[in-house]
């Protein structure tokens, strides 16, 4: 990427974050609805902290922090950079207020653009690129975290009339068959673009048994059939931990499904508010446990992340509406080594007790989709735009 392209990309990413919070009030931006979700104000500050800490602190001559307190308040999880404010208590950070956080963004933007006016520096520019990708990840979290917050409001208000929501997919399901064989997995800089997170490599070969994969994600209509067939009441469909999770939460439907009585039609809450269930829209906001149980009920299984990537390279259809849970535990590829220093904490240290999701969702910012992208969440996490696509052995 040229210097001017990097600057344009940086400005575009920073503006998109502000566009996503534009429909929110200062109060919307403050509150933390659960320990896993962060206030929008914290996202605004933390993404700025990332540029200040990883770029300005290292490369700006005579660096002075914007506010030394921010170093702890807005550090998410980087132990090498010192202490962090506890994640479940991010909503208690009432100061700085929203206006001061927006001023922090403006100040860091100005300093970063001044730095980028100097001649290119590959280490610096790579970190600016990483900071942009990092901010795009938080852009999606802003929407999923706000959605969770608004789901707890008694009126379940929408975020905005034009907010993203998964739309109907093709009604008929085709099975796409794949022969057994070796396949290359992971980011290839010669054909896949110049950026990937470290967890998308090293590129390596994997042998796949013959399999077939569905031409579209599972729909809300199919999920209704699963519920009607006792999906949430039949322990034989669930893994042991998943069944415990169903019982403990008394779960009988996806996170944002609601109905006024047991014989009333279902509605689904989303960023546009509560809308009638759409049988052809992909099911979303489901946990890995639910995805796994549904696949078993359907006489299928979740694809491995390698099957997904292999199929995607030959043209998997109807991706990009919901992240697709895979059967693959999140771990390092063969010979994976995190980068040295604090930035090495970005992905590698989370490779335990999580599952990989592939694709991308309606909340994923444009330009942030990659065939090799590995999103990851714990198996009980429901609040993302997460769905599933079925696969079967051949
Ligand atoms: Fe972050």
């Amino acid at each position: 990427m040229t210097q001017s392209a990097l600057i344009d990309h940086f400005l575009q990413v920073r503006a998109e974050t502000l566009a996503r919070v534009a429909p929110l009030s200062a109060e919307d931006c403050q509150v933390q609805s659960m320990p896993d979700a962060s206030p929008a104000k914290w996202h605004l500050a933390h993404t700025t902290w990332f540029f200040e800490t990883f770029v300005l602190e290292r490369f700006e001559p005579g660096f002075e922090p914007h506010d030394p307190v921010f170093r702890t308040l807005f550090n998410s999880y980087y132990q090498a950079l010192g202490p962090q404010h506890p994640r479940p208590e991010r909503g208690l950070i009432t100061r700085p207020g929203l206006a001061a956080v927006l001023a922090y963004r403006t100040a860091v933007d100005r300093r970063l653009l001044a730095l980028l006016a100097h001649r290119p520096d590959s280490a610096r520019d790579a970190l600016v690129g990483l900071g942009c990708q990092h901010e795009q990840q938080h852009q999606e979290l802003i929407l999923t975290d706000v959605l969770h917050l608004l789901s707890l409001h008694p009126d379940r208000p929408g975020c905005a009339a034009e907010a993203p929501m998964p739309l109907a997919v093709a009604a008929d399901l085709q099975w796409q068959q794949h022969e057994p064989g070796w396949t290359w997995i992971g980011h290839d800089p010669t054909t896949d673009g110049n950026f990937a997170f470290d967890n998308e490599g090293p590129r390596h070969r994997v042998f796949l048994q013959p399999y077939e994969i569905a031409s579209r994600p599972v729909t809300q209509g199919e999920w209704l059939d699963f519920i009607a067939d006792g999906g949430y009441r039949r322990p034989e469909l669930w893994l042991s931990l998943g069944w415990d999770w169903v019982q403990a939460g008394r779960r009988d439907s996806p996170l944002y499904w609601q109905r006024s009585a047991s014989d009333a039609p279902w509605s689904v809450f989303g960023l546009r508010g509560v809308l009638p269930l759409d049988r052809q829209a992909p099911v979303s906001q489901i946990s890995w446990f639910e995805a796994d149980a549904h696949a078993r009920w359907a006489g299928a299984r979740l694809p491995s992340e390698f099957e997904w990537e292999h199929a995607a390279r030959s043209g998997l259809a109807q991706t990009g509406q919901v992240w697709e849970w895979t059967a693959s535990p999140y771990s390092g590829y063969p010979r994976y080594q995190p980068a040295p220093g604090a930035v090495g904490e970005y992905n590698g240290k989370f490779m335990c007790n999580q599952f990989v999701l592939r694709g991308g969702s309606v909340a994923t910012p444009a330009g942030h989709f990659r065939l090799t992208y590995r999103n990851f969440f714990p198996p009980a996490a429901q609040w993302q735009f997460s769905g599933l696509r079925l696969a079967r052995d051949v």
Side-chain angles (χ1 to χ4, degrees):
M1 194 181 279
T2 64
Q3 196 78 354
S4 69
L6 180 65
I7 291 168
D8 287 349
H9 182 52
F10 172 76
L11 290 171
Q12 183 274 324
V13 168
R14 298 289 280 172
E16 171 65 19
T17 306
L18 294 181
R20 289 191 178 215
V21 299
L24 306 179
S25 68
E27 292 82 359
D28 290 335
C29 291
Q30 176 61 46
V31 177
Q32 179 167 22
S33 59
M34 64 167 169
D36 282 340
S38 299
K41 189 180 81 179
W42 188 90
H43 287 296
L44 289 168
H46 163 72
T47 48
T48 305
W49 169 93
F50 193 95
F51 286 110
E52 183 185 28
T53 307
F54 285 106
V55 182
L56 293 183
E57 187 170 320
R58 180 167 157 198
F59 294 97
E60 185 183 53
F63 169 83
E64 297 271 356
H66 180 84
D67 184 329
V69 175
F70 289 6
R71 187 178 173 86
T72 300
L73 286 183
F74 302 123
N75 179 1
S76 49
Y77 53 65
Y78 295 89
Q79 304 289 352
L81 297 173
Q84 304 110 46
H85 180 77
R87 179 176 179 148
E89 297 174 13
R90 288 174 182 167
L92 301 180
I93 305 172
T94 52
R95 299 179 184 193
L98 181 59
V101 165
L102 293 172
Y104 175 43
R105 288 182 69 88
T106 304
V108 166
D109 286 354
R110 194 179 303 126
R111 290 166 66 176
L112 200 95
L113 289 169
L115 194 62
L116 290 176
H118 296 101
R119 56 201 177 108
D121 176 312
S122 59
R124 180 199 69 196
D125 295 351
L127 285 166
V128 173
L130 179 65
C132 291
Q133 297 281 335
H134 169 254
E135 183 145 345
Q136 289 181 311
Q137 292 185 306
H138 280 274
Q139 287 168 0
E140 177 145 6
L141 293 173
I142 285 172
L143 294 186
T144 55
D145 292 358
V146 162
L147 181 62
H148 186 263
L149 172 67
L150 295 175
S151 80
L152 300 179
H153 188 286
D155 290 336
R156 289 200 146 181
C159 181
E162 299 302 312
M165 61 178 283
L167 298 172
V169 294
D172 59 324
L173 186 156
Q174 316 283 339
W175 290 96
Q176 190 186 99
Q177 285 208 7
H178 293 278
E179 300 295 316
W182 289 96
T183 185
W184 284 98
I185 294 296
H187 180 255
D188 180 352
T190 59
T191 55
D192 294 344
N194 58 7
F195 182 86
F197 288 114
D198 63 352
N199 62 5
E200 295 169 55
R203 196 162 156 77
H204 64 288
R205 287 190 304 167
V206 168
F207 190 86
L208 298 180
Q209 303 297 330
Y211 71 99
E212 57 186 10
I213 190 164
S215 57
R216 58 157 174 75
V218 167
T219 62
Q220 295 180 9
E222 288 162 334
W223 206 272
L224 265 184
D225 297 340
F226 171 66
I227 294 175
D229 197 34
Y232 286 88
R233 299 192 306 272
R234 293 167 52 185
E236 72 271 22
L237 296 174
W238 297 77
L239 293 173
S240 177
L241 283 178
W243 184 244
D244 290 349
W245 176 84
V246 167
Q247 299 293 106
R250 298 164 170 257
R251 297 174 204 280
D252 63 1
S253 60
L255 181 60
Y256 296 142
W257 286 30
Q258 62 181 68
R259 56 181 173 177
S260 54
S262 61
D263 56 351
W266 289 98
S267 299
V268 179
F269 173 67
L271 287 167
R272 297 185 192 177
V274 177
L275 293 171
L277 180 143
D278 177 354
R279 283 195 71 98
Q280 287 313 126
V283 68
S284 187
Q285 270 80 27
I286 55 161
S287 71
W288 184 87
F289 290 134
E290 289 170 294
D292 171 77
H294 180 97
R296 192 167 293 107
W297 169 80
R301 59 173 174 78
L302 298 179
S304 73
E305 64 167 319
F306 307 124
E307 289 168 338
W308 194 99
E309 184 171 325
H310 176 250
R313 286 203 185 275
S314 59
L316 204 53
Q318 314 259 15
T319 59
Q321 299 246 33
V322 290
W323 287 97
E324 299 176 18
W325 284 111
T326 73
S328 298
Y330 178 51
S331 63
Y333 287 166
R335 306 183 197 192
Y336 169 74
Q337 290 289 341
V343 80
E345 295 183 49
Y346 198 111
N347 282 311
K349 71 181 187 181
F350 299 108
M351 292 174 171
C352 179
N353 293 348
Q354 312 213 48
F355 284 87
V356 174
L357 302 97
R358 292 302 197 106
S361 84
V362 288
T364 308
H368 199 67
F369 293 87
R370 283 190 298 281
L371 293 178
T372 56
Y373 203 109
R374 305 175 77 204
N375 200 353
F376 51 89
F377 279 95
Q382 287 179 290
W383 89 109
Q384 297 300 305
F385 284 94
S386 48
L388 76 156
R389 180 184 300 261
L390 301 176
R392 295 194 299 212
D393 298 330
V394 174

